[in-house]
Amino acid sequence: MRTLLRGGRVVDPGTGFDGVADVLLAGGAVEAVGAGLTAPDAVEVDVTGLVVGPGFVDLHSHVHSVAGQRLQAMDGVTTALDLEAGLMPVERAYAEAAAAGRPLHYGFSASWGAARAQVLAGIEPDANIESGLAVLGNPAWQRSSTPTELAAWLSLLDTELAAGALGIGVLMGYAPQTAPGEFLAVAHLAATAGVPTYTHVRELVEVDPAIPVDGSAEIAAAAGETGAAMHHCHVNSTSGHHIDRVLATLDDARRAGSRVTVEAYPYGAGSTAVGAAFIEPDRLRLKGLRPSSVVILETGERVRDEARLRQLRRDDPGAPCLLEFLDEDNPRERALLYRALAFPDAVVASDAMPVSWPDGRSESTEWPLPPGGRTHPRTAGTFAKTLRLMVREAGAWSWLEAFRRCSSLPARLLDDVAPAARRKGHLSAGADADIVVLDPERITDTATYADPTRPSHGVRHLYVAGVPVIREGKLDREALPGKPLRGEPK
């Protein structure tokens, strides 16, 4: 089926074009872009007054369900990749996603955490995000490795790369006392394999002066020493009040030639498992936070004191929670969040979390989703909120810059490891027909911490591989056109 998008404002960060034009889609690809295109056999869609651009490429999504991906589709995402944590075995992750069907394209990194947990703690990975969350609070894998253990889990990562993983996801912040040499070894492996790393860095020295090495300085140094392409995940949440120093560190490293890239999301609270190392009461105190900064997602409980937090960490370390690190209602702290987003070439990435319901379900093919779903609002609203803040309200980005941050730059991070990514993030002829059509005056998030599964508003059409997943603002429940994006061994 051919589709002709007629008369929209076409924004293509690949060529720098921003003007009124038509876009012709055919066979899952962009066939042509220009004024006055004709295609008598095409389904014509009038998009006058709307913005047409390449669909958003989310490098950091822990959503592995139709339900969660539908929320991301309503937010303008066409490709949702789990690269910070990854899943293992990666072959199983790809196979299970393909068998279940996905509305969006999907892909996974090789999981540093799962590989270490297998070697150091004997925990067999099952390519399941819920199991992965439960492992985060287990101290058995958080120690440093012996030389034999290091070689064993590096070999596992190498095997995962050969199986199509999109680089190496490193949850260093969940094992912050491990020997720095281990991180450097991962960087050497990545450089040799020609793949990126995606790192949740360890603590900053301002937060914990006893940390083996400052987290942001570590990634900058490793990239400089090895030449690896190293991506710093959610710089907003790992840096908090120290964002200016961290961004200066990373800027210096990039000016010196290090291949360090950065992502951010527009929220002052993060989400993880309550057993995470950095939610230990003493570590919260070092960050200037309190147990009351932690909210358990399933129940909405705001943790009252250290005793209760320790109990929760002991009884159910994998329980998803919110961690409030900045107050968005405080102008000074809100400005810190803006600076993370505004950092030159920072990409937008959601860190979308799984959706679950009180009865224990983590999937639903109903639409609209059943009431009571729990997740972080960033799952449903990251991209629309960013566009609202940075384009409509602050005027800090043009639409061209917004699509560069949300579509082009994230896709370009994957060009070397996954040549198929070169067809994403732009609208030239031959590009993938992954297209978002949005209302520039109405695009906004609606998800809140209290009601986190409310879909964003303003995405009028969304095409994934040329298949309409959203038409006239309504999601097509039958559309599951998502395809795997896989790494290609060198």
Side-chain angles (χ1 to χ4, degrees), residues 83-84 109-113 115-116 145 149-158 161 167-172 178-200 202 218-219 222-223 225-231:
L83 302 183
E84 178 223 30
S109 69
S111 175
W112 171 91
R116 293 182 91 256
S145 310
E149 290 168 336
L150 174 62
W153 60 256
L154 285 173
S155 178
L156 288 176
L157 292 176
D158 202 24
L161 293 175
I168 304 171
V170 186
L171 295 176
M172 183 60 68
T178 55
E182 294 191 21
F183 186 68
L184 195 60
V186 173
H188 278 294
L189 172 61
T192 300
V195 303
T197 67
Y198 316 91
T199 303
H200 179 139
R202 68 176 96 213
E218 179 177 39
I219 194 172
E225 180 170 337
T226 65
M230 306 193 77
H231 185 63

Side-chain angles (χ1 to χ4, degrees), residues 418-438:
R422 297 171 189 168
R423 299 192 298 269
K424 300 186 185 298
H426 61 94
L427 293 181
S428 301
D432 285 347
D434 300 336
I435 309 289
V436 61
V437 181
L438 57 86

Side-chain angles (χ1 to χ4, degrees), residues 406-480:
C406 297
S407 305
S408 178
L409 286 178
R412 301 291 70 79
L413 263 64
L414 301 165
D415 284 348
D416 290 341
V417 65
R422 297 171 189 168
R423 299 192 298 269
K424 300 186 185 298
H426 61 94
L427 293 181
S428 301
D432 285 347
D434 300 336
I435 309 289
V436 61
V437 181
L438 57 86
D439 185 331
E441 302 302 321
R442 293 186 64 248
I443 187 73
T444 190
D445 54 307
T446 70
T448 66
Y449 292 106
D451 192 359
T453 61
R454 294 169 60 183
S456 292
H457 289 172
V459 171
R460 301 299 302 158
H461 304 275
L462 189 86
Y463 295 85
V464 176
V467 176
V469 174
I470 298 171
R471 311 184 211 205
E472 299 294 346
K474 298 185 184 303
L475 187 135
D476 183 346
R477 293 178 54 181
E478 303 302 316
L480 297 172

Side-chain angles (χ1 to χ4, degrees), residues 293-312:
S293 302
V294 179
V295 179
I296 304 301
L297 269 179
E298 183 176 355
T299 62
E301 175 189 356
R302 184 175 292 278
V303 180
R304 63 180 179 271
D305 54 31
E306 289 191 6
R308 177 57 176 158
L309 180 56
R310 294 184 194 279
Q311 179 188 10
L312 290 164

Side-chain angles (χ1 to χ4, degrees), residues 236-237 239-243 265-270 287-290 292-293 302 323-339 376 385 389 449:
N236 54 306
S237 64
S239 303
H241 292 90
H242 306 289
I243 188 67
Y265 60 77
Y267 294 89
K287 291 176 177 285
L289 304 176
R290 302 177 297 280
S292 60
S293 302
R302 184 175 292 278
L323 176 62
E324 298 169 345
F325 59 88
L326 288 176
D327 180 0
E328 292 181 58
D329 293 327
N330 179 313
R332 186 183 67 82
E333 297 199 359
R334 187 168 61 248
L336 298 177
L337 200 58
Y338 275 61
R339 289 205 284 279
H376 190 294
K385 181 175 182 178
L389 292 175
Y449 292 106

Side-chain angles (χ1 to χ4, degrees), residues 27-336:
V30 176
E31 183 173 308
V33 178
L37 296 181
T38 57
D41 62 334
V43 174
E44 187 165 318
V45 181
D46 183 2
V47 292
T48 304
L50 304 177
V51 171
V52 180
F56 304 146
V57 177
D58 190 356
L59 300 176
H60 191 160
S61 172
H62 304 298
V63 163
H64 307 302
S65 66
V66 171
Q69 283 205 353
R70 283 175 169 167
L71 286 177
Q72 291 212 272
M74 296 297 289
D75 203 34
V77 176
T78 52
T79 301
L81 309 172
D82 191 335
L83 302 183
E84 178 223 30
L87 291 179
M88 181 178 174
V90 73
E91 283 281 18
R92 178 173 171 180
Y94 278 112
E96 291 183 353
R102 292 286 182 261
L104 309 181
H105 302 312
Y106 53 90
F108 315 97
S109 69
S111 175
W112 171 91
R116 293 182 91 256
Q118 180 173 331
V119 172
L120 275 63
I123 300 171
E124 199 69 25
D126 63 0
N128 183 282
I129 183 64
E130 284 78 19
S131 300
L133 286 170
V135 169
L136 293 182
N138 187 334
W141 71 274
Q142 297 171 8
R143 60 178 174 85
S144 295
S145 310
T146 67
T148 300
E149 290 168 336
L150 174 62
W153 60 256
L154 285 173
S155 178
L156 288 176
L157 292 176
D158 202 24
T159 299
E160 292 286 271
L161 293 175
L166 294 167
I168 304 171
V170 186
L171 295 176
M172 183 60 68
Y174 293 84
Q177 296 301 319
T178 55
E182 294 191 21
F183 186 68
L184 195 60
V186 173
H188 278 294
L189 172 61
T192 300
V195 303
T197 67
Y198 316 91
T199 303
H200 179 139
V201 300
R202 68 176 96 213
E203 295 286 15
L204 305 180
V205 69
E206 291 95 338
V207 173
D208 184 3
I211 202 78
V213 59
D214 177 84
S216 293
E218 179 177 39
I219 194 172
E225 180 170 337
T226 65
M230 306 193 77
H231 185 63
H232 189 309
C233 294
H234 46 41
V235 71
N236 54 306
S237 64
T238 52
S239 303
H241 292 90
H242 306 289
I243 188 67
D244 291 329
R245 195 278 295 171
V246 168
L247 294 178
T249 297
L250 300 177
D251 189 50
D252 288 346
R254 297 198 309 194
R255 291 176 186 276
S258 294
R259 299 169 67 194
V260 179
T261 52
V262 176
E263 70 179 47
Y265 60 77
Y267 294 89
S271 187
T272 185
V274 74
F278 50 85
I279 296 184
E280 195 276 328
D282 290 339
R283 290 195 170 276
L284 283 181
R285 210 175 301 115
L286 288 169
K287 291 176 177 285
L289 304 176
R290 302 177 297 280
S292 60
S293 302
V294 179
V295 179
I296 304 301
L297 269 179
E298 183 176 355
T299 62
E301 175 189 356
R302 184 175 292 278
V303 180
R304 63 180 179 271
D305 54 31
E306 289 191 6
R308 177 57 176 158
L309 180 56
R310 294 184 194 279
Q311 179 188 10
L312 290 164
R313 287 168 56 81
R314 180 181 65 251
D315 293 348
D316 190 6
C321 68
L322 298 174
L323 176 62
E324 298 169 345
F325 59 88
L326 288 176
D327 180 0
E328 292 181 58
D329 293 327
N330 179 313
R332 186 183 67 82
E333 297 199 359
R334 187 168 61 248
L336 298 177

Side-chain angles (χ1 to χ4, degrees), residues 130 297-298 320 354-363 372-375:
E130 284 78 19
L297 269 179
E298 183 176 355
V355 184
S356 62
W357 282 266
D359 61 6
R361 285 182 298 162
S362 57
E363 177 63 292
R374 304 305 303 170
T375 185

